[in-house]
């Protein structure tokens, strides 16, 4: 992956000149990389120019597509939008190198220049290649190196076109067509239903972690069915990992139009406090600075495993007593009464006594089932759904009263994943400032790993009074 981050920063720089007009123009250019364009081009050439030329173009396009697919899966490189989702004006699930659009455009340009007897071909041909290649970078689909690779292969294919003679044509055509149709691309997800999609991301917070998205929706727009589907997938994964610890993490960013997704992060069981904190610090580091990049091949392998898991595991309806009590802090009525800021049917919303937020009135809330649920595995679907909906309500109320820019949501199962109270709770930390500088990131890193110090008693009581007002008025 050496040097990819440099090229990534070029594209990020390029995006500072983004305008709606350019977006639409380059999205339109994507048409020239679709099978529809080829299906229109071939008969047009065949009917109005020359039947044999139409046939040759069809053959070369099929051959180019096949060569491109084989190379893509051989090199197995990520696309810009795999590494920075904000760059993906359009997205694709296949690997990035080399660019098929660059390859086909230079091939078609060569054929045009060879066959067209008109001086304008020296303008239209190169201009077409230039616009197509630039559009692939602008759209976040390709790195400059993918384009260069595609151009190189396209030129080689053009030389092959020059050598093509009639006798070999039919054999090559049939072999190419057969190979093209026998080649299946990988799927982009391993589970989907009418509400959500689950896939292995290109950058992971931990080995084997996966993400759940609800049709590109932001968190505030998730509905009951989205939450229920997500709950079932998380429970199936929890069953698959048996008694192993895990974290479920999501960030709702209000400063940009990013979609919300949960990331299910499996942890290893550890026997000592050092490796436990090390593991948590690694994940917190990746949350702040970006996850580990994995190849498309690794993604496909992990997705194949999860696909089986979700086919095989159908979580049964869990039945747990409504009135069960434990002797943890969240079953302690004194704690509940003093920190409660909002009460639901089966869920209490408490203000965290040691908030890890930022600024005045640090916003750190816990959504806790009233019945004693040791961890996520014991949580019922209704409890999960209500906790999620209450967290959406709290985000909405905070946004009305304050300039909330980011909302971090997470829940942890077992001590190795950082669960400190053995009674399930969903964390919501909302911040007013995106704070992307290194110092804030490091202080976040520390607090997410080790927690923050408790507020003094009177300050805590003051914050709770404040938030009871904000949330219940
Ligand atoms: Zn409890």
């Amino acid at each position: 992956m050496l040097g990819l981050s440099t090229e990534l920063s070029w594209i990020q720089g390029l995006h500072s000149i983004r305008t709606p007009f350019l977006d639409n123009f380059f999205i339109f250019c994507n048409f020239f990389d679709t099978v529809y364009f080829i299906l229109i081009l071939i008969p047009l050439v065949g009917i109005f120019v020359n039947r044999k030329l139409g046939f040759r173009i069809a053959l070369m396009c099929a051959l180019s597509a096949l060569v491109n697919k084989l190379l893509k899966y051989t090199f197995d490189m990520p696309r810009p939008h795999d590494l920075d989702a904000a760059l993906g004006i359009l997205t694709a699930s296949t690997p990035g190198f080399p660019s098929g659009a660059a390859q086909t455009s230079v091939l078609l340009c060569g054929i045009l220049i060879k066959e067209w007897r008109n001086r304008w071909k020296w303008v239209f041909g190169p201009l077409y290649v230039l616009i197509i290649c630039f559009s692939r970078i602008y759209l976040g689909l390709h790195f400059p190196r993918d384009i260069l690779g595609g151009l190189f292969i396209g030129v080689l294919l053009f030389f092959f076109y020059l050598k093509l003679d009639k006798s070999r044509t039919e054999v090559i055509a049939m072999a190419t067509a057969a190979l093209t149709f026998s080649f299946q691309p990988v799927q982009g997800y391993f589970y989907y239903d009418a509400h959500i999609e689950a896939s292995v991301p290109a950058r992971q917070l931990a080995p084997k972690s996966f993400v759940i998205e609800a049709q590109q929706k932001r968190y505030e727009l998730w509905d009951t069915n989205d939450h229920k589907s997500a709950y079932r997938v998380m429970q199936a994964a929890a069953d698959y990992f048996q008694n192993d610890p895990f974290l479920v993490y999501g960030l709702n960013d209000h400063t940009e139009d990013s979609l919300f997704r949960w990331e299910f992060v499996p942890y290893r069981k550890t026997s000592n406090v050092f490796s436990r904190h090390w593991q948590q610090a690694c994940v917190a580091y990746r949350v702040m600075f970006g996850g580990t990049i994995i190849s498309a091949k690794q993604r496909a392998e992990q997705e194949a495993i999860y696909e089986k898991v979700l086919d095989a595991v159908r979580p049964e309806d869990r039945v747990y007593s409504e009135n069960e009590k434990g002797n943890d802090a969240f079953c302690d009525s004194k704690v509940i009464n003093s920190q409660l800021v909002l009460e639901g049917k089966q869920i209490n919303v408490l203000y965290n006594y040691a908030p890890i937020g930022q600024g005045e009135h640090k916003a750190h809330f816990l959504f806790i089932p009233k019945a004693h649920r040791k961890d996520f595995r014991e949580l019922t679907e209704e409890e999960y759904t209500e906790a999620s909906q209450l967290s959406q309500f709290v985000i909405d109320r905070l946004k009305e009263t304050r300039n909330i820019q980011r909302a971090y949501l997470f829940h942890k199962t077992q001590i190795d994943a950082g669960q400190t109270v053995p009674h399930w709770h969903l964390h919501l930390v909302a911040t007013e400032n995106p704070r992307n500088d290194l110092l804030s990131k490091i202080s976040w890193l520390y607090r997410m790993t080790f927690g923050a110090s408790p507020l003094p008693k009177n300050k805590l009581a003051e914050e709770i009074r404040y938030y009871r007002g904000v949330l219940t008025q």
Side-chain angles (χ1 to χ4, degrees):
M1 299 298 161
L2 199 70
L4 266 193
S5 52
T6 315
E7 291 183 31
L8 194 67
S9 63
W10 292 347
I11 305 172
Q12 284 158 341
L14 181 65
H15 271 215
S16 60
I17 60 150
R18 255 185 88 168
T19 67
F21 170 76
L22 285 177
D23 281 12
N24 288 327
F25 175 70
F26 289 123
I27 288 171
F28 164 75
C29 290
N30 183 58
F31 169 73
F32 296 100
D33 188 43
T34 58
V35 70
Y36 307 108
F37 170 62
I38 304 296
L39 288 180
I40 291 169
L41 178 75
I42 291 165
L44 282 182
V45 172
I47 294 164
F48 295 106
V49 185
N50 176 323
R51 203 192 301 173
K52 245 181 249 168
L53 181 61
F55 180 69
R56 285 183 168 207
I57 292 178
L59 170 60
M60 289 310 296
C61 285
L63 182 64
S64 176
L66 174 73
V67 167
N68 187 255
K69 266 186 193 169
L70 289 174
L71 290 172
K72 273 195 165 82
Y73 286 99
T74 306
F75 287 102
D76 199 18
M77 298 292 284
R79 291 172 183 265
H81 66 70
D82 291 328
L83 307 188
D84 179 354
L87 296 179
I89 301 172
L90 290 181
T91 61
S93 57
T94 52
F97 182 89
S99 159
Q103 188 180 310
T104 309
S105 68
V106 77
L107 171 65
L108 289 176
C109 166
I111 296 176
L112 180 85
I113 287 172
K114 163 119 199 317
E115 310 290 349
W116 198 24
R117 308 207 186 288
N118 185 318
R119 271 184 307 167
W120 283 102
K121 66 187 180 182
W122 296 105
V123 177
F124 285 130
L127 192 67
Y128 167 70
V129 175
L130 209 71
I131 291 175
I132 292 295
C133 291
F134 185 78
S135 76
R136 306 316 276 174
I137 297 174
Y138 183 93
L139 293 169
L141 286 165
H142 283 294
F143 291 105
R145 66 174 65 185
D146 306 341
I147 301 295
L148 291 178
L151 291 176
F152 179 71
I153 305 296
V155 168
L156 290 186
L157 285 168
F158 176 63
F159 285 126
F160 178 75
Y161 171 82
L162 293 178
K163 295 255 169 205
L164 211 63
D165 66 40
K166 261 205 298 197
S167 59
R168 273 183 263 162
T169 306
E170 280 178 37
V171 183
I172 298 170
M174 282 161 70
T176 306
L179 279 168
T180 305
F181 289 108
S182 65
F183 203 78
Q184 290 294 321
V186 291
Q187 280 189 330
Y189 44 76
F190 61 83
Y191 173 86
Y192 75 97
D193 59 25
H195 312 288
I196 60 149
E197 289 161 14
S199 59
V200 172
R203 302 193 81 161
Q204 289 181 315
L205 293 181
K208 291 192 213 149
S209 74
F210 68 84
V211 295
I212 299 173
E213 292 165 0
Q215 290 158 354
Q216 317 266 312
K217 279 192 270 186
R218 300 165 63 84
Y219 187 66
E220 300 95 303
L221 301 176
W222 282 48
D223 59 30
T224 314
N225 290 324
D226 299 333
H227 291 309
K228 284 184 176 170
S229 280
Y231 168 86
R232 285 178 208 143
V233 171
M234 288 178 200
Q235 286 292 7
D239 278 355
Y240 169 67
F241 287 106
Q242 296 182 344
N243 286 315
D244 285 353
F246 60 87
L247 160 78
V248 177
Y249 167 83
L251 166 63
N252 208 33
D253 197 328
H254 302 279
T255 55
E256 46 194 86
D257 233 6
S258 64
L259 64 128
F260 177 81
R261 64 188 205 180
W262 286 117
E263 184 156 352
F264 186 101
V265 187
Y267 278 66
R268 278 172 289 107
K269 254 196 168 25
T270 57
S271 50
N272 69 72
V273 67
F274 294 108
S275 42
R276 174 180 306 152
H277 280 137
W278 174 247
Q279 197 176 192
Q280 288 172 26
C282 286
V283 172
Y285 177 86
R286 292 185 203 119
V287 165
M288 291 297 121
F289 297 98
T292 309
I293 298 172
I294 61 165
S295 71
K297 196 170 143 208
Q298 285 170 301
R299 283 172 81 182
E301 281 165 7
Q302 295 184 19
E303 290 191 333
I305 294 170
Y306 278 123
E307 207 165 349
K308 284 200 202 100
V309 168
L310 288 171
D311 280 347
V313 184
R314 289 273 171 267
E316 76 280 20
D317 283 333
R318 280 146 219 267
V319 187
Y320 290 99
S321 152
E322 284 285 318
N323 304 314
E324 200 178 327
K325 284 281 167 254
N327 39 30
D328 55 276
F330 296 152
C331 279
D332 182 341
S333 57
K334 250 196 277 162
V335 172
I336 297 168
N337 291 336
S338 68
Q339 283 169 242
L340 189 77
V341 285
L342 186 68
E343 188 179 354
K345 222 170 96 220
Q346 300 181 60
I347 300 288
N348 283 324
V349 185
L350 303 199
Y351 183 75
N352 195 353
Y353 76 107
I356 65 170
Q358 280 168 325
E360 214 199 340
H361 301 307
K362 288 176 179 156
H364 186 169
F365 305 92
L366 306 171
F367 301 79
I368 308 171
K370 294 180 183 178
H372 179 68
R373 305 286 181 243
K374 196 165 80 254
D375 60 31
F376 183 71
R377 292 181 175 90
E378 294 190 351
L379 193 70
T380 68
E381 189 173 284
E382 273 122 81
E383 287 165 336
Y384 176 78
T385 308
E386 194 191 343
S388 306
Q389 286 167 335
L390 281 170
S391 71
Q392 289 170 303
F393 171 79
V394 171
I395 293 173
D396 282 341
R397 287 300 295 136
L398 289 175
K399 272 164 67 186
E400 281 166 31
T401 47
R402 298 169 49 186
N403 178 29
I404 288 303
Q405 307 220 4
R406 284 185 167 193
Y408 298 84
L409 291 138
F410 51 96
H411 59 89
K412 302 158 168 179
T413 279
Q414 291 192 13
I415 188 162
D416 285 319
Q419 183 183 10
T420 44
V421 180
H423 182 139
W424 185 84
H425 47 287
L426 170 69
H427 291 260
L428 163 64
V429 180
T431 64
E432 297 191 351
N433 211 320
R435 295 275 192 117
N436 274 317
D437 62 286
L438 188 65
L439 204 66
S440 329
K441 281 190 172 182
I442 288 169
S443 94
W444 261 106
L445 189 67
Y446 181 83
R447 280 176 289 167
M448 286 189 65
T449 311
F450 300 104
S453 42
L455 289 180
K457 238 184 183 154
N458 54 344
K459 179 70 182 157
L460 180 65
E462 196 184 297
E463 297 291 28
I464 289 163
R465 262 199 310 279
Y466 170 79
Y467 277 116
R468 277 180 185 157
V470 167
L471 296 176
T472 52
Q473 65 185 221

